[in-house]
Each structure stands twice: as structure tokens, then as C-alpha cells.
Amino acid sequence: MLSSCKKYLDVVPDNVATLESSFANANETQAYLFGCYNALQNLSDVRRNAGFTTSGEIIFPFPLQDQNVLGPGGDGGFQILRGTQNSANPILNYWDGYNMGLDLWQPIRRCNTLIENIDLPKDLPLYNKARWIAEAKFLKAYYHYWLLRMYGPIPIMDKNNPVNATTEEVRVKQQPVDSCFSYIVGLLDEAAKDLPPVIQNTALEEGRITSTIALAVKAEVLATQASPLFNGNPDYVAMKRQDGTSLFPAAYDAGKWQKALDATKAAIDAANSSNASLYDLKLTGSITHLGDSIRQLLTLQGAVVDSWNQEQIWTLNPQFGWQYMASPRVTADAAANVFAVYSNFSVPIAESELFYTDNGVPINEDKTWDYAGRYTLQNGDQQHFYYIRLNYPTAKGNFHREARYYADVSFDGANWFGSGNTDDRNMNYVNAVNGFASPPDQLRYNATGYWAKKLVHYQSTAGASSVWQGYSWPFLRLPALWLLYAECLNEVNGPTAEAYSWIDKVRARAGLQGVVDSWNNYSRTPGKPSTKAGLRSIIHQERRIELAFEGQAGWDLRRWKELQNVLTGPVQGWNVFNRTVNGYYQVVNVFQPIFGLRNYFYPIQDYDILTNPNLTQTLYW
Amino acid sequence: MYEILAFHICKPPGCIKKFFLVMRMTVFLLFFALMQVSAEGYSQSITYRGKNITLKQVFNEINKQTGYNVFWSSGIIANAPRMDVNFENTPLREVLETCLQRAHLTYSIEEKSIIIQADTQAPAPVEDALPPGTITITGTVRDTTGAVMAGVSIVIAGSKDEGTVTDNNGKFVLDVKEGAVIVASFVGYEQQRFTVVAGRAVYNVVMPRDVKLGDEIVVTAYGQKQRKEAIVGSVSSINPEQLRTPTSNLTNALAGQVAGMISFQRGGQPGLDNSQFFIRGVTTFGYSPSPLILVDNIELSTNDLARLNVDDIASFSILKDASAAALYGARGANGVILVTTKGGKSGKARINLRYERSISKPTKTVELADPVTYMKLYNEAVATRSAVGIPQFTPNQIQGAEATWTKSPGYNPYLYPAVDWMSTLFKKQTTTQRANLGLSGGTEFAQYYISGSYDRDNGIMQVNPVNNFNSGMKFENYQLRANVNMKVTKTTEAIVRLWGNFNDYTGPITSDQSGFATDLYDQALHSNPVAFPAFFAPDSANMGTKHILFGNNIHLTGGLMSNPYASLMYGYKSFSESRMSAQFEVNQDLRFITRGLNFHGLFSTNRYAYFDLVRNYSPFYYSINPSDAAINKYSLIWLNDQPGAAQEYLSYDPSRNNKNVNTYIYFMGTVDYSHSFGDHNIAATLVGTREQTQTANASTLQLSLPHRNLGLAGRLTYNYKSRYYVEGNFGYNGSERFAPNHRFGFFPTIGGGWIVSNEKLWQNSNISNIVTRLKLRGSYGLVGNDNIDRVENNRFFYLSSVTPHAGPGAYFGTRNNFTMNGPSIQNYPNPDATWETSHKSNLAVEFTLYKNFNVIAEYYWEFRKNIFQPRGYIPVTEGLESTVKANLGTAYAKGLDLHMDYKQTFTKDIWISGLGNLTITSSRYGHVEEPQYKYAYRFQSGRPINQQFGYIAERLFVDDKEALNSPAPAFGGPLPQGGDIKYRDVNKDGIINQDDQVPIGLPTTPEIIYGFGISAGFKGFDINAFFQGLARESFFMNPTSQDDRWNGYYGTTPFVNNAQILKAYANNHWSEENQNLYALWPRLATYDIPNNQQQSSWWLRDGSFMRLKSLEIGYTLPKRLIRKAYMSNLRIYFNGLNLITWSHFSLWDPEMAGQGFGYPVQKVFNIGINANF
């Protein structure tokens, strides 16, 4: 009687799904692995990427009539520059997963769970088992790396604690940054040896991690460790754990650059052996007429927007979803449907001025370029026929610029190949003063008058029913590795021919002469490439230009500790709501960015420090 | 079955002393249920002759011939003289009287027993008085409702039982002497006396009910009936009549009616207007502080309780302390509400008919600013926040709207709309009808109670005749109830209860949780009043168009805006909901095993079914063509001209139809035993229960598994001389949600009572004239609460809950088309999870002053432990995907319940009564797992439960400069400006963040609820007023832009989410012209300003209020008028609900607390008629 009563309450059949069921067979286990990848794919959303939103490359207007056009809180990362960051409820909170951040500790736990349970499925072939473990290790490493870049010292969660772990066990401590770097590099090494160098079955597996990716990431990790932000940064020496352990190394260690150099070399070798090379333009669809000038621009841009090309070492599957934010309205159709194009991604004048002159040197160094008169007006001429609308008045600074400027940035008077018009003899163009591209309202406008054209595919067409030619978001391109290698070479050996050669490979594609020649011939400081500091500055600028709008600059500027300088002045743009030419071409301050020393690292949410008193708040927060 | 201890019927009444004699003499059993000793008992007759017979011989003969058991003691008849008898078909009564009179003995008949007692009254010197002439009097005895009363004893005062009893028609005939005083008495009614005067032969008697506290029967756990006198636990019972209010929601009548219940109503949305109620307040911060609700022993939901018909309720009790609730073991910690429905009464069929018609409207409607003010303030909001902001509305538009609003000559409502959405959508008031028919009656062997009711609630929405269907709302409820008791054998009773509750609805389409289209109210509050008119008059192109030309505009972000009028008109939804319940019970007297043993068995099942249907057309939206308007031509632009976007014919989408089905099965078996020996009475009860619910709509496997409960409970009581009571209870029950080793729990309690006023010492002293009754009682014990987490989150605490392939996933391949998803984890296993345990103590005193004034005062304290709460210390770095919870928390509560009532009848026609209830509770957190805050004021531990944390608002910033130089708020969003709220930097660290939040205000659930009422009657008129209030409660006006109708959160931020602006904000806000630092609303904005939307003292308000909850005036027509219509009673009444409210808060009804944009609480005016046949 009693036992039958007890049975009455045993309503659970034996075979309900539990955690173990996720590893019942190889198929379930692969699904679990995909779950581990989930956060990585989400990182490709530029709104979540501090390297994209908080870099000074693109700003987002405020206030708008509807601030939620990027989704609720979607513009949070951009607005950090307006001083909204705080420790009570941090923006881009990657510790807890709030405010456009992701909780990265969950995927880390997932990776650990996968590694712990990988022996459960009986039907999992050994080669897959090794590969999947390696992928999980890579992901674990990358998530730690992402956190490390944002927060500096972080706890290392290499093993899962049981759910009922004691208070002491779960109150983990931050590890010194060098331990974190070593841990990540160790994992990447372990992962690289079991990963395939290239994806064979691209239809099913493109986007999964290869050993080439792992080695390239390792190079980037080691370069980050060697960079000033982490390598003997005097500003952060004071950051200590509760038990007194120093979390940042006190002294600069040049040896770290050597390690980065070796790793970058290994990565380049791996890329070469997996047939990585610079992008060749592949045209799809019908082209009415295409000359060399526009072909060059499309090639430069296509390296980013033509997915899975041979130059992209690492691409994430999710597609860039914000072309309508980056594009100007260039056709009557696009203007007629105001909902087609928003144009809110605004490029500050300072970012546009980063691009070289057509002589391959910075605009303020070029002897032949009228730097002082760059805000005066000039009509489009025959020489710039392909870049600037003929006889259209625009800022003088838009003339005589390198090809990457015209490939990456659009402005009032710039021609626009594509958007339904593929005849480079009579292209659409941007009229931001009183034409299609001028603001229709207080919501769909570009706050500076510069558009990130690089992010908009030429086949994308806005109109009554827009078609946006999608592309998967690249995380790492071959030129980035080359420039990183040049950077390491310069840091280890100073200016050398070898260092120049890697930069020049990138410049050559942009149609520019080599560093030494360009500076010799056109720069007011011709000796700049011959000093270590001079070459460093050249490499940094080259890298910012080459990787513009790709979500890299924010991270680079941080590790170089240069972001604060970039953001000292006000963000400027044209007087975009004025509909006369002279009124429009007034430089106005959009806002004054707020970026202090403390903004190099992100605050940990105060509440997390309450729940884990062993944690130390990021310095200055 | 029935609680029989110490319950006795004496006839004639007032014979307690005799009763004790009897007790000494013999032991017997009496059944409360058979208290109506029928007149038939006397009709048996005896034939017996003999000389020199002893009394004993007579008794034996009576026993032989009639079957009555005669009880006597040998001592009592020892001195009785022998006699000669000669009875020929002589009635028993006469035989007894003849034989006993000479021996100075008397007797009483109880069921089948005749009890012989010594006659303590001095033998009346009958022979001394000269007979002044005998007359025959007649009369009819009725109760106050006019029903005739059978079996009332009519006795001549001073005589020994000389008299008669009324027959089935309430009639009596008696030969008496002039000047005799006649006493009419009946158990449960007040004794009536009258003097016989010469020349008058007809004496009609009306007997009012005698509500003596101690004699009330109270329904306690598992339907057990106990005499109030015998209860040692804390049980409040309400006269169901007190719960009668003119609404279709019973829960809204509870506030202030019961000592020990905290209750309040946060919104008036039909179907979602249930009051929240907590027995003795909120004493846990775990998942559920709600009481267990049982109707006829069956567990039902709050909604089912809400729909119960007051006319069907026989008793309504709440079990408050451990002793009363312990039988429910792991489920009773939050108290229990017990309702039983009416059963039949034997006698002629009695019909009760009630019809009511009500009008309801909001107690207070929020006042919105008019459209013109809206435009002006919108422009102000843009300008005040941005120097370069472009005004939304041009002066021309404002002028045009003003003309439309004031209907000035030449106004154009289409070009310059100014819409009062509220009155476009809603009528000012709505009507409700309720009809109810009850039928009861039966014979000795079978009794029935049948009732049916029909309610119809009409919608408040406007209807447009253009539609060929009626989208106006209609909600109908039918209920049918049949309770039948049958005496199958002498010892077996069977009861069948059938109950059906059916709802039918048709009305506008809604996504509302309630199914009712009340979300339109919310839409009206969130619609721009000047964007477009509700609909257009046809232009020349649309003269022949059949559809309504709804107004609209393209929203800033592309889509069409929402036109609430179109939402009202574009289609209709109907749903049908039913619950059928069948219940079978059997009562078996097991006296053949041993006397006093009874068995009660119950089987019950109910089936619930719901489905809905939606049919709609797709509205056509138009806007005016402004270029034509400029040249004074009227033409419209069709906005949604995409294929399929607008269509005239109805469409139907099966995927939008919801269906919901579930079943419930319940078994219960009870064994009772009671026994008395001498002054000792014991009783014991053992109850076993088993319950299962299954739902067809479970979303996961775990939720689809049956929900089960199993329990065993027992009670043992003992009393000595009806003065000292001791009671022990236990509940031993289990819940399938816990691991096997934590599945069953044992919950014991102990309690005791002492009726001081039954002590000889007390009765002999003078104080007994003042304090006519005094009882002390107390209890202590454990009860549990197994409802510790949402079933959806945590069905089985000891299992992990994983949904395969429902979690995060990824996709790969050059075309991104190979996708897989990993599992989602809802729950990690926690094998140690178990129920909350409550340690409850209760002390009470009950007393009656001057017979009429009753007071019950109770003091309780409670310690709650094992409260299931999230593990506060698990840092996010663990990477857990669901919250880990454990039984960690503790809490304390204490409080006072006070009940008072008073009744005074001055003459036959004038009476007055009053009652009052007061509930005071306070609870506080004990142990809570909290982070290690730096500041002592941030800890919840030791604070009252439901007290909120918030910032201390000092005033508004004077200007931007002050705002910039003040401690920076860490709320995100734009930096504060002048006119935004300035907070105090409590910890002086230069930042306003969580560390500056301090406990502010009182708890958001009231700590004091009270109610008092007064009733008076004069002849046919009666009046009844009930006041109710609450105190010690705070609330926060919701300053956000929330528009979450699913959970009932409505912020009052103007403009954001298309919200309208409250008139109060329009009149009193900080503006550059009027820089009032203490304005009601800070600086306006058209977007969220997080700085101003924090929970802070700025928005803190006093929630206390008192209201005239109900007022009723009734008139009972004189009998002579209605008799011709075969009615026994006819009463007409007017009543009102929520008529007047007194409060410090004036923007909206204070009972709704912070949700000003919520559907308002209703005020109801009602007229009703109640007839008995």
C-alpha cells in the first residue's frame, strides 16, 4: 500500500531528456558543438563589437526621433563615446550579457561541458572527436581572449565547477594578464594541431575553425600581449587582486614582440600553404560598362564584401545586416521610399582624413596637397571623373586622394557605382545638400556627411523594395596579418627592408608606391620611415586605413593606447541639415567624445563584485 | 463525518443542567444532523394495563412497543411510587407525562432515545390556582424571512413541558389559561414570549435567528464541521451574504470582510480584475504567497473562486493558523480558503429567484490632456531637449486641430484631426445583468439543491453599424449546480454534486491574456490624438465603397500606425470556456462496528475546455491628400494598397485559434471516530487524499506529466466538560516535484482551548452578566508550502530540465544553410530541494459582552524557513544557464486579527447590527542570500517583505549647470538637465548608482486592512453600509514608458510609445517658463529619460485609502401583498459598489497603485429583486 502510494508520485518516466542526452550520439554532440559556436557567430554583429562602435570610425546620431532603429539599446555601444559608460549597468556588458554584450561565461561552460562529455557518444569517429575537441578549445580560447581585451585580467574558467560547488570554489579570482595570455595561447596551440588547415566540405562546413585561423588568432593574441596596453603599461600597474597579486606586468618586455613575430610568421606560412592570396575581383551579374578606375575600387572593396574569398582568412557566417545604415540615398527610388535607407552610420571628418593622398602619404604631410584649403569648395573635374561627379562642387579635401578613400568612403558629390546603375560613364552620385541623400527628416540622416561606402555592396539596391546583397562578416584578412608582421618586425628590429616589404605589398594593391619612395618624394618628413617611431606611426595608419570600418581599429587603437588621442577633439561633420551649398559646407561639431584613461578597459558590473568579493573592479571604475 | 462532541439538543431549551445529569446517567450519541426532532416522535401510542406497576416496567414496555430506548439511572427512580396504569392507544407523550409527573421526573426525547431526568423545578402548585378560564389559542410560527417553522416548541412558562410543537405548516393549537406566558423556542433561534390575553385567540410568532458565536458550525479542513466552541485553531468564517456585491467577481468582495485576510484589487479589467489576497499577509518571499483554495474539498484556481455565485455558497471559511491548516501539510502554509456549496433541506420546494441589473463605470477615469495641449507640449518636449530640434507640429497644424477640437466654423477634422480616442472607442458606462434561480427541498430520504444562473456583461465599446457583424462585446456566463443528498439506508448517505460553469464571449479581437478586448483601453491611451482621424467620410472616389475608411499615417519607422478604432472594428473573436465537475460522496455510519465510527468517501473529477475563434477582415487605411486639401478638394490616399494588405472579406486563420483542455481527479477517504465517557469526549479523524491534474496543452514533456499529490492527515481532539479542549493534528503528504527522499513531509500541530465562561466560578459571579462568554485558545505547529517555484521553470526540482535542439545554435556553409541547435537548459538538478516550512503560533481570546457584542482577537507570530530562493553567491563566471535556487531563506511575520460584531433588536420591527474587522500584519526578511554590500542599508535582511528600494529624490535640477556638476547618475541615457530629478548621493562617492538606493516607503502590500459595516432595519426597510480601507502601504507611480499589458505594467511617461499625456502632467511639469523645482513631472521629453524613470521617492505615494465599499437599501414587501402571488418573500434592493473613496492620491484610483494607465477599478450601481416562493 505504502509503496504503491510512493509510486503514485513517481510520475517521471525514465527517459526524459537530461543533460546527458545531449551526448547520446554523434549527431546530438555536433548540435552541442554548434551551440558552443553560437556566441562566436553573435560576435560578428557589429553593434556588439567595441572595436566597431567605440573606435571613432563611425558614430551614431543622438537623439533621433526613434532611437531604437538599431533595435532596443542597439546603439548603446556607439553612445559610450558620449560618456554613458558606467559600472552600475555597463554597456557592452560581456560579463553578464546585458546592453548588447553577451554572457561569454556560458559558452565557456558549454565548451568545457563538451570536452568533459566527448567520450559519451559511442558512434563518434576519432578524427571528428579530436577536431571537435580542438574547436571547443579554440572557442574557449577566443571567448577568454575577447574578455581579456575588454576587461584585462579575467578569471580563467578551464574546468566547470559542479552546480552545488561551495562558495569558496565559485568565488574565482582574476588572473594576471600574462597568465591569461599564456592560457589562451596554450589552448590555441593545442587546438591548432587537431584542426584541418582548410575546410574541404565548404557547402556544409565553411565558417568552422581551421588551424590557419587558430594560428592567425594566436599571432593577434601575442601581438596584443606585446602591445603597450598590456606590456608594462604604467597606468595599470596599480591594478592588484584582493590578495595583493599584481594583475599587470610592471615592466616592458621586448621579448613578447619576438614571440608575436614568430607566431605571425607561422600564421602567414600557414595562410600561404592554405592558398590564401589577395582578392581578385569576381563580377556577378551584368555590368554595363566598367573601366579600370572603378574596377580597382570594386577590388579593394570586394576583399571585404565578396564572401569567402581567398583573402579572407577568417569569416563568420552571419551576414552584415546594416547596409541601409551605411548607404546614402543615390537614386530617386531610394529617396521615394524613405524607409529604404537610414544612413545613420556617420563617418567623422577625422576618420575620412586618415586616408592618404593619391601620393600615398598622410594629407597633412603631403607637400603637394592643399591641407589648409581642404574645406574650401572645388568642382568635380575630368581627372576625378570616376570619383567625383563632373562639375559638382564639393570639398577640396575630396580631391587627390588614394583609391581606398574612394572605395571606402562616400561624400556629397561622390559617384556611386551600382545601386542599379552599372555604367561607370554615367554613375549615380551623392547629392547630400539638396538631393536624394539630404536628410528627409530627423531620423534618417547621416550626422557628418560621410558614408562608410566600403560596407555597401555595389549590387545592393534601395528602392520601393530594396535588395541588399548580403555578405558574411570577415574577421581576419590576409593584409591584416601582413601589417601585423610588419609591426612586429619594426618593434623587434626597427625599420628594415623586410618590414617595408610587407607594408608595400598592401600599398601596392591600393595603387600606391612603397613607403620609402612615397615619403621620400612627397612627405614633408621624408625620413619618417627610417625611424622606429616613424615607421610605427606609418604602420598604424596603414593598418587603420586598410582595415577601416571592419571592427578592427577600435581594438588596435586600444592596444596601442592611441584611442584616447583619436578621441580628444570633437567629432565633426558638415552642416548636414542645411540645404545650400555654402551652408552645408560648414564644419560643425557633432559632439565632444568622452574617452578617458579608464575607458581603455570596461567596468565589471558592480553587482558582480558584490556576488564575488574576490574580484577587483577594473582600475579607475 | 460530523463533529459530534459535546453537542446536544435540549428540548425545551436552557437545560444544560439537566444535560449533565443525563451525562452522569448514561452515555449516548447525538447527531447534530438530526437536530430537528420531529413531531412524529410523539405520535406513537402505547397500550398497557396493570396494577402496582414500577416505572421500570413502564419503561421496558415503552421500549418494547415503540422501539425508543429509555435511559434512566436506578437512583432517580428509586423513590418513585408504584402506580396503576390503564393506557389504551395512549400517545407516548401522555404516557410518559402521566407516569413521570407523580415521581417528579421529567424527560426529553432525542432522536430514538428518551432520557429520564429529575425535575429540578419545584412542582408547580397547580391545585392552588383557581382556573381563570381556559381559552384555545392558535397561531403560526415563522422565521424572519417569512418561512413557516415546523417543530417549534410552544410551552407555557413555568409549567413542565406543558405545551405543544408546531406542525409542518408552522401551526400550533394550545389550551391555556388567560394570563399565561407562552414561550416559543427552537434551536438556533431566539426564544419568543407572549402573554395570553382574554379575547384574543390568534398569536403569530416571528422567530429571529439567534446568532450565538459558540453555537455556529464552522467548516474546517477537509469539510469537517466543528462547533465554533470546540475549535482551538484559527478559523474565520464569513456569512456568505456579506460577500454579495454587484460584481461578477467574488474575490473583490473579500477586502475588509474577514479578519486575517489582506486583499486589494489592482485593476478593473474584466476577466483580469481578480483581487490579490493573502491570508495573514505575505509571509514568504518565495514563489507563491497565495493560499490554497478549496471548493467542496476540490482544489480550484483563483479564477474559479472569482466566478462562484454567492447564492450557492453555504459556508466560506479561511484557515489561518497551523492547527487549522496542518491537515493540508505541505500545502497549507499560506493559509487555506474553504468554500462549501449549499445542500438541500427537506421540506416543501423552496424557490429563490434573484435578478440584478447593474451599471458600471470607472471609480475615477484618468484625465488626459486635450489634443491641442498634446501638440503644444510635444513641441515643448522636442524644443526643451534639443536646441536644434524641429517642432513636430506647425502652428498651422495646431490652429487647425484647435478648430477641430472646438468645432469652430470651417474646421476640418480630416486635415487637422483632433481625436478623443477614449470616447471614440468607449461608452461612458456599461451594463450587466445577472439572474439566479435556486431550488431546494426534499424529503427525509432525499434532499436537493439546484441552482442555475445567467450573467451577461455587455461591452463598453462603441459599435459601428457599417459592419455586417457585431463586434460589440458580449460575455455570458451560465452556471448550473445540483447537489443531491440521498439516504440510501439508515446508516448510509450518498451525495452527488454536479456543477457546470460555461462562458461564451464574442467581441473585438484581442491579444489580451483575458480574452476580453480590454487592451483597446490601453491602445487608446497609447494613440496619438492628432495623427489621423478614426475614419474618413468617403471622398468622391469612395462613394460606393462598402468598407470603413479607417484613418492612418505612415509611422516614422515605416509601418502603419495603430488605429485603435480599426482594432475595435476589424473583426471579432469568440471563445467558449467550460468546466464540468462531477462529485460523488458517501457517508457511512459504521455503528455496526462500533458506535461513533463513520466513514466518508469522496470522488471528484472535473474537465476543463477552452477554445477560441478569430475572424476578421483586413482594414483599409487612408490618409487625406494634403495637396488636394490645399486647393479645397477632398480626396483620400489609400495607404495599404499592397496586394492582400487590405481586404473586405473575412478571413480565418486556424493557427490563431487557441485550445486548452485539462482534467482533474480527486479521491478522498475519511474515517471519524468519537466517543464520550463521563465528562471526557474524544474524537479522531483520519483523512487520505489523492489528486491528479493533467493538461493537454503542455509545452514540454515534463509539463505534460501528470501533476499529483498524495496526503494522509489526522486529527485527535479531547475535551473535558466542554471547558478544556486539546487538539493535535498532523499532515503527512507528498509532492512529486521533489526527490524521493524529500517527497513526504510530516507536519504536526498542537492546540488547546479553555472556555472560561463555562467554569462554575465564572457563572456564579457577577461578571458573567457582563462577559457572557469568554474563551481562550492557542496553537503551535508546522505547515508547509510546496508551491515554491513556477512549474514552467522547475517542474521537477531534482531533475535537470533540458530541451534538446532548442538552445543556441550556429550555421555553416558558404550558403549558411547547415544549421544545428544545441540544447537549452531550463534547470539544473537540485536533489535537496524541498518545501518551505512555516512555524506558526497563535493566541486568541474570544468574548461576548452583554450577549450582543462579540469580539475575537487573535495574535500570531510565524517563522518561515527553507524559502526557495536564488543562490545569491553564484557569480556569473560559473556560466550557468539557469538560476540555481535552494531552500535558504527565512522570514518572520506577526500580526493581529480583530473581529467584532454587534446586534441589537429594539422591537419586533427595529434592529441594528454592526461589524468590524481589522487585520494588521507585518513581515520581514530573516536570512536572505544577498551579495556582500558595502553599505548596511542595502541589505534586505531584517527589512519588511515587499518594501522597495529606491533613490532619494531631493528636487529637480535648477539648470543644466547644476545637473552637470552634481554626482553623475549611472542610469545610462542622456545626461540630466535642469528640470530632471536630482538624487541624493547617499554614500557620497560622487556617483548616483545602486549603492545610493535605500529602503523607502512602506511595503507595497498593505499592512493594515480594515472594514466595518452597519446595518439597520425598520419594518420592511433595511439599509446596509460597508466601509473598507487599507493603510500602511506605499506605491510608486510608474514613471516609465512600459506598455506591458500582459503583466499589467503601464508607465505614464508621455509621448514615448505614442502615449498620451495626463492632464495632471500637462498642468504641472517643469518647463523653461515655469521652473518649478517640485513640479509633478520633470522636464518633458519625447524619448525615455532613464534618470527620471528610476524608482525613487519622487514617485512614492501613500497608498492608504478608505472607501464606501458598498451601500445597500432594501425593502421587503409586506406579506399580505405578496401572498396572492404565492410568494413567501419579496425584496427589492438598490446597491452600489466602490461609491466614495477617500485618499491622499487623486490622479487615479489609489487601489490601482502605480499603474495609472491600467484599466480602472469599477464603480457599480445595481438594482436587484429577490423573491422566494
Side-chain angles (χ1 to χ4, degrees), chain B residues 242 253-259 261-263 899 915-919 1009-1013 1026-1029 1109:
Chain B
Q242 279 170 240
L254 298 174
Q257 292 283 13
V258 206
M261 186 183 268
I262 294 285
S263 172
H899 170 88
L915 96 159
N917 289 299
L918 173 68
T919 307
I1009 292 260
Y1010 56 91
F1012 55 93
F1026 187 74
F1027 296 84
Q1028 186 258 316
K1109 182 91 177 172

Side-chain angles (χ1 to χ4, degrees), chain B residues 576-648:
Chain B
S576 163
E577 185 183 26
S578 56
R579 191 187 287 282
M580 280 293 301
S581 165
Q583 184 163 335
F584 177 73
E585 296 171 45
V586 59
N587 292 322
Q588 177 65 51
D589 188 334
L590 299 175
R591 68 168 65 177
F592 49 82
I593 299 173
T594 176
R595 274 181 178 258
L597 189 66
N598 287 287
F599 169 78
H600 174 68
L602 185 156
F603 165 77
S604 175
T605 182
N606 68 56
R607 311 278 141 148
Y608 173 84
Y610 169 93
F611 67 88
D612 59 32
L613 296 168
V614 173
R615 299 181 190 88
N616 65 280
Y617 60 79
S618 306
F620 288 73
Y621 291 114
Y622 296 84
S623 71
I624 193 164
N625 186 339
S627 49
D628 274 1
I631 54 168
N632 234 348
K633 210 180 121 196
Y634 177 63
S635 71
L636 299 176
I637 304 171
W638 183 19
L639 296 175
N640 52 343
D641 56 353
Q642 305 91 328
Q647 56 194 29
E648 281 181 359

Side-chain angles (χ1 to χ4, degrees), chain B residues 937-1168:
Chain B
Y937 54 79
R938 290 203 62 190
F939 288 93
Q940 278 188 314
S941 194
R943 304 263 174 220
I945 292 177
N946 284 328
Q947 187 187 29
Q948 305 292 303
F949 283 73
Y951 298 98
I952 301 172
E954 296 183 330
R955 54 174 169 76
L956 302 180
F957 284 120
V958 175
D959 52 23
D960 297 2
K961 207 171 127 210
E962 191 201 6
L964 203 66
N965 294 325
S966 297
F971 310 130
L975 296 173
Q977 293 181 273
D980 287 333
I981 300 173
K982 177 182 164 80
Y983 297 108
R984 183 176 302 164
D985 185 11
V986 177
N987 64 350
K988 307 234 177 335
D989 64 350
I991 310 174
I992 306 291
N993 60 12
Q994 279 109 319
D995 280 340
D996 298 306
Q997 289 192 343
V998 297
I1000 50 177
L1002 293 162
T1004 50
T1005 47
E1007 291 190 328
I1008 296 180
I1009 292 260
Y1010 56 91
F1012 55 93
I1014 183 157
S1015 308
F1018 174 70
K1019 292 197 168 159
F1021 288 98
D1022 58 85
I1023 179 162
N1024 181 328
F1026 187 74
F1027 296 84
Q1028 186 258 316
L1030 57 84
R1032 288 192 58 79
E1033 180 214 68
S1034 290
F1035 68 87
F1036 293 89
M1037 285 167 63
N1038 187 336
T1040 68
S1041 58
Q1042 270 179 318
D1043 184 14
D1044 176 3
R1045 62 181 81 107
W1046 194 261
N1047 293 307
Y1049 299 129
Y1050 303 106
T1052 53
T1053 297
F1055 307 131
V1056 189
N1057 282 347
N1058 238 352
Q1060 305 224 25
I1061 178 167
L1062 287 175
K1063 198 171 186 178
Y1065 296 168
N1067 293 341
N1068 187 4
H1069 65 270
W1070 188 97
S1071 65
E1072 276 148 285
E1073 293 76 45
N1074 177 20
Q1075 305 196 349
N1076 177 1
L1077 298 186
Y1078 298 94
L1080 177 60
W1081 191 260
R1083 191 176 192 142
L1084 294 174
T1086 56
Y1087 44 88
D1088 282 322
I1089 304 288
N1091 181 70
N1092 297 342
Q1093 301 181 342
Q1094 302 300 314
Q1095 185 155 293
S1096 75
S1097 57
W1098 195 262
W1099 307 113
L1100 183 71
R1101 294 293 184 275
D1102 177 3
S1104 58
F1105 67 85
M1106 185 173 91
R1107 63 173 44 154
L1108 175 56
K1109 182 91 177 172
S1110 66
L1111 178 70
E1112 176 165 325
I1113 298 167
Y1115 177 63
T1116 308
L1117 272 71
K1119 301 275 180 288
R1120 58 192 156 78
L1121 290 179
I1122 59 173
R1123 204 163 297 152
K1124 284 177 192 143
Y1126 303 101
M1127 284 188 213
S1128 56
N1129 192 36
L1130 180 66
R1131 180 166 173 268
I1132 298 169
Y1133 54 95
F1134 301 90
N1135 55 11
L1137 182 74
N1138 294 338
L1139 295 177
I1140 311 173
T1141 305
W1142 295 271
S1143 147
H1144 297 298
F1145 184 76
S1146 59
L1147 294 186
W1148 54 78
D1149 192 298
E1151 198 166 356
M1152 292 165 66
Q1155 318 299 340
F1157 274 8
Y1159 197 92
V1161 172
Q1162 299 289 303
K1163 173 190 284 194
V1164 182
F1165 300 94
N1166 181 57
I1167 175 166

Side-chain angles (χ1 to χ4, degrees), chain A residues 78-383:
Chain A
F78 292 99
Q79 307 307 357
I80 289 176
L81 291 183
R82 294 177 203 256
T84 55
Q85 187 58 290
N86 65 92
S87 63
N89 187 10
I91 296 156
L92 295 185
N93 180 349
Y94 273 90
W95 204 279
D96 305 272
Y98 304 142
N99 299 325
M100 297 314 291
L102 300 167
D103 176 352
L104 288 182
W105 303 110
Q106 286 184 6
I108 289 172
R109 188 180 182 93
R110 253 175 247 144
C111 294
N112 286 330
T113 305
L114 181 85
I115 295 167
E116 282 165 18
N117 290 290
I118 196 75
D119 293 328
L120 290 179
K122 300 281 180 276
D123 57 343
L124 179 60
L126 274 182
Y127 62 92
N128 265 350
K129 181 168 159 182
R131 181 179 171 196
W132 293 1
I133 294 173
E135 287 179 271
K137 282 182 176 167
F138 172 87
L139 292 168
K140 198 160 80 159
Y142 196 78
Y143 297 143
H144 276 98
Y145 170 56
W146 190 279
L147 289 163
L148 173 62
R149 281 198 297 188
M150 294 191 74
Y151 297 97
I154 51 162
I156 293 174
M157 302 303 288
D158 189 47
K159 290 270 183 305
N160 285 346
N161 281 319
V163 173
N164 57 357
T166 63
T167 314
E168 281 322 299
E169 284 174 276
V170 298
R171 286 187 172 162
V172 294
K173 295 173 176 165
Q174 285 140 311
Q175 301 301 320
V177 290
D178 279 340
S179 313
C180 298
F181 280 114
S182 312
Y183 171 72
I184 293 162
V185 169
L187 275 179
L188 290 172
D189 281 335
E190 288 172 37
K193 66 180 173 27
D194 288 328
L195 288 168
V198 286
I199 298 297
Q200 304 291 339
N201 185 351
T202 56
L204 283 188
E205 294 185 351
E206 193 70 89
R208 285 175 65 171
I209 298 301
T210 61
S211 60
T212 315
I213 295 171
L215 291 172
V217 168
K218 179 187 166 190
E220 193 185 299
V221 171
L222 284 168
T224 303
Q225 186 183 14
S227 296
L229 186 64
F230 290 97
N231 197 356
N233 184 349
D235 299 332
Y236 279 86
V237 177
M239 188 167 170
K240 289 194 164 56
R241 210 154 72 181
Q242 305 291 355
D243 59 12
T245 310
S246 287
L247 293 168
F248 278 85
Y252 174 76
D253 175 5
K256 287 173 179 166
W257 279 115
Q258 183 61 50
K259 277 196 206 160
L261 179 69
D262 298 343
T264 315
K265 185 72 177 63
I268 292 174
D269 291 346
N272 288 341
S273 53
S274 55
N275 294 324
S277 62
L278 285 181
Y279 171 69
D280 289 326
L281 182 61
K282 284 193 295 286
L283 291 169
T284 50
S286 70
I287 300 287
T288 312
H289 186 270
L290 183 63
D292 286 345
S293 292
I294 296 299
R295 177 175 289 275
Q296 184 192 25
L297 300 191
L298 293 185
T299 308
L300 287 167
Q301 189 202 16
V304 175
V305 301
D306 193 359
S307 292
W308 312 112
N309 69 61
Q310 68 271 30
E311 177 177 328
Q312 295 182 359
I313 289 173
W314 185 17
T315 305
L316 296 178
N317 296 67
Q319 296 191 334
F320 178 72
W322 310 106
Q323 293 191 51
Y324 68 94
M325 279 291 166
S327 177
R329 273 171 287 269
V330 293
T331 63
D333 258 10
N337 178 12
V338 289
F339 309 106
V341 173
Y342 274 63
S343 296
N344 291 142
F345 282 180
S346 313
V347 178
I349 287 184
E351 172 70 14
S352 81
E353 293 180 346
L354 197 64
F355 291 86
Y356 294 144
T357 66
D358 52 5
N359 294 321
V361 293
I363 56 171
N364 54 352
E365 289 185 25
D366 193 321
K367 294 183 286 198
T368 67
W369 205 81
D370 179 11
Y371 181 74
R374 66 192 189 282
Y375 296 146
T376 58
L377 291 171
Q378 183 177 325
N379 286 346
D381 53 20
Q382 273 303 332
Q383 193 190 344

Side-chain angles (χ1 to χ4, degrees), chain A residues 8 38 41 66 206 442 444, chain B residues 390 556-557 708 809 811 813:
Chain A
Y8 182 74
N38 176 266
Q41 295 200 332
D66 178 357
E206 193 70 89
Q442 295 267 309
R444 286 163 279 259
Chain B
I390 296 168
L556 209 57
T557 43
R708 284 179 176 169
Y811 46 96

Side-chain angles (χ1 to χ4, degrees), chain B residues 153-208:
Chain B
S153 82
I154 309 292
V155 183
I156 300 165
S159 76
K160 315 170 288 289
D161 277 7
E162 199 179 323
T164 181
V165 292
T166 55
D167 64 10
N168 271 340
N169 296 318
K171 293 242 167 11
F172 65 91
V173 181
L174 191 63
D175 293 339
V176 290
K177 299 182 178 80
E178 276 176 31
V181 174
I182 311 295
V183 180
S185 54
F186 193 79
V187 172
Y189 289 79
E190 277 178 27
Q191 223 177 48
Q192 299 291 309
R193 286 165 176 264
F194 59 92
T195 309
V196 176
V197 290
R200 186 176 159 196
V202 179
Y203 294 87
N204 289 332
V205 181
V206 174
M207 302 199 58

